[in-house]
Amino acid sequence: MTRPLSSVERSIKRRNDWLKEEERKAIQSRGETGRMEFWLRLTRSQISKEVKANRGDVVAGFTMVCRLFQLVMERRAAGDPRLFDHLMQYADTVLKQHGPRS
């Protein structure tokens, strides 16, 4: 027998369910491009909230992530897919450990 979820756990579950449903809708309407656009909109909104809360370092962090991804795409286009593969493996590992639960 399992215990009932606490209000915090219910809130997390509702948020995760909402994220999954919105991502599903985005994929259904626009495919992988829709999924990307959904996550970009969500990220932009969260960055704005972080800046308003005086945590502006999030802008520098996002900028670095964008620069990293740009570098990885350039290397792959030049014929070296290793960095792209490593980045994708790392991202997959982190999301499986810390991302929304199924």
Side-chain angles (χ1 to χ4, degrees):
M1 192 165 119
T2 60
R3 67 173 176 73
L5 297 176
S6 70
S7 63
V8 171
E9 290 168 328
R10 281 193 309 274
S11 177
I12 291 169
K13 183 180 181 335
R14 278 193 300 270
R15 171 81 171 157
N16 288 342
D17 290 346
W18 179 82
L19 286 170
K20 285 184 233 164
E21 179 61 18
E22 291 300 311
E23 182 181 44
R24 185 193 65 73
K25 288 179 193 174
I27 293 167
Q28 209 170 34
S29 68
R30 300 216 351 123
E32 287 300 312
T33 300
R35 180 194 309 232
M36 175 194 64
E37 290 168 348
F38 166 72
W39 286 107
L40 283 173
R41 278 192 309 275
L42 207 63
T43 301
R44 184 169 186 242
S45 173
Q46 187 63 37
I47 288 171
S48 293
K49 291 174 186 173
E50 291 289 307
V51 169
K52 287 177 185 172
N54 293 319
R55 293 186 291 264
D57 59 340
V58 71
V59 173
F62 185 70
T63 301
M64 288 179 67
V65 168
C66 290
R67 288 178 61 205
L68 170 64
F69 196 72
Q70 184 67 33
L71 171 69
V72 166
M73 289 188 304
E74 288 170 3
R75 291 278 178 92
R76 186 170 76 159
D80 184 4
R82 292 176 300 168
L83 280 178
F84 185 84
D85 294 342
H86 291 306
L87 182 62
M88 294 300 285
Q89 288 171 355
Y90 179 70
D92 186 56
T93 300
V94 170
L95 290 171
K96 282 180 181 172
Q97 290 177 6
H98 303 286
R101 304 286 184 237
S102 298

